Amino acid sequence: MSDDDLPPPSSGTDALYPQSLPLDAAAPTRTETATLGLGCFWGPDARFGATPGVVRTRVGYAGGSSPTPTYRDLGDHTEVVQVEYDPTVLSYDALLDRFWRWHDPRARSAIRQYDHLVLWHDDEQRAAVEASRDRIESRRGHVSTRTEPLSGFTPAEDYHQKYNLRADDELFDAISAVYDDPTTLRESIVAARLNGFAAGDGSVALLDDEGDSYGLGDEVLATLRSRVE
Ligand code: MHO
C-alpha cells in the first residue's frame, strides 16, 4: 500500500513539495496517508505534526457528500487532519493507537463538524480500523466514533493550516522567510514540526534528534526549546 495507489486528493496537494530546508529535502519518497477526525482540526494538526515518523499534515473537510465544502459552508462534512507518514518509522496501527487514545470513543459530538471519525484509504487500512474498533468495543462498550471509507478530501483554507504556528510570531516569521507560499508552507515537514512545538506538543527529545535538520538557525532552536521546557 503506497500513495502511488491512491487517487490524488481532490485539490490543492499537487504543488511541488518544499525542498529548501534540510528535513524537507530529505523527505522519504514513499509515504502513506491516514485521514482522521478528532474534533476541531487545529489540535490534532499540531499533535501529529510533532509525532516522529509523521512527514506532512494538512487539515481539511471530509466524510460528507456536498461538493465544495468551506469553513463557512461545511455542508455534511467534518473537520479532519490528513497525516502523511513514513511507514518504515510509524505504522498505521501506531497512528490508530494515538487516534483512539486522543478522544473518547463513547462520546458523540453534538455537531457533525466535530465528529470523531477515521476514514480508511484502502482495504488494508479498513481491516486495521475495524480490528482496532472491535478491540475497543469489547473492552469499553459501544463505540460512537465513525469508521468509513474515504471518498474525497478538500483542504481547508490557508489560515487553518498550521494554525498554532501562525499564532507564534517568531516561529511563523522564521519559516515564512523561507516558504512564503501558503501551499508550500502547508506541505513542509519543518512547518508541521514547528506547528507542534508552537502548540506545546514538541519535546526536548524530538528537538535533540532532528532540530539541526530544520535548518532555521540557533535562535529558532532556542525558541523551540523554550516552547517545551
Ligand atoms: N471556532 C472554534 C473552533 C475552530 S475549529 C477550526 C474556536 O474558536 O475554538 O473549528
Side-chain angles (χ1 to χ4, degrees):
M1 180 177 62
S2 88
D3 278 350
D4 299 337
D5 306 318
L6 297 169
S10 42
S11 68
T13 51
D14 50 355
L16 284 181
Y17 286 133
Q19 295 284 326
S20 303
L21 299 173
L23 187 64
D24 287 318
T29 48
R30 200 180 80 83
T31 60
E32 292 175 9
T33 304
T35 303
L36 306 162
L38 283 159
C40 174
F41 49 28
W42 297 338
D45 190 17
R47 293 178 94 177
F48 283 118
T51 300
V54 169
V55 179
R56 300 181 187 89
T57 68
R58 57 192 80 88
V59 297
Y61 313 113
S65 58
S66 63
T68 51
T70 64
Y71 188 64
R72 297 270 160 245
D73 188 9
L74 210 55
D76 54 353
H77 288 278
T78 296
E79 293 190 17
V80 297
V81 57
Q82 200 158 68
V83 180
E84 219 179 300
Y85 60 99
D86 178 348
T88 66
V89 178
L90 185 65
S91 66
Y92 188 63
D93 279 331
L95 267 181
L96 283 180
D97 185 58
R98 285 175 171 75
F99 170 75
W100 291 113
R101 281 191 285 113
W102 290 353
H103 75 282
D104 179 353
R106 296 161 306 177
R108 179 117 219 193
S109 160
I111 51 172
R112 194 171 164 93
Q113 176 177 4
Y114 297 132
D115 269 358
H116 305 134
L117 87 168
V118 46
L119 298 166
W120 60 73
H121 288 229
D122 58 25
D123 289 343
E124 208 178 317
Q125 287 193 357
R126 176 183 190 152
V129 166
E130 292 183 339
S132 66
R133 183 196 57 204
D134 292 350
R135 262 197 313 276
I136 297 205
E137 203 148 41
S138 69
R139 277 206 307 269
R140 302 180 62 188
H142 179 69
V143 166
S144 302
T145 304
R146 289 164 53 197
T147 54
E148 298 167 13
L150 177 77
S151 66
F153 169 83
T154 304
E157 296 77 357
D158 292 334
Y159 73 93
H160 284 303
Q161 307 291 342
K162 315 281 181 289
Y163 190 85
N164 284 275
L165 173 58
R166 286 172 188 277
D168 189 314
D169 288 340
E170 197 176 335
L171 295 179
F172 188 67
D173 287 352
I175 194 156
S176 299
V178 184
Y179 299 136
D180 59 354
D181 169 67
T183 308
T184 309
L185 185 84
R186 184 188 70 202
E187 299 298 320
S188 160
I189 309 165
V190 177
R193 295 288 191 272
L194 263 49
N195 188 42
F197 279 97
D201 294 325
S203 68
V204 172
L206 184 63
L207 203 53
D208 288 345
D209 194 43
E210 59 173 40
D212 287 339
S213 69
Y214 300 166
L216 291 169
D218 289 343
E219 226 170 285
V220 167
L221 285 181
T223 303
L224 291 174
R225 202 164 285 276
S226 75
R227 297 289 184 273
V228 289
E229 273 173 354

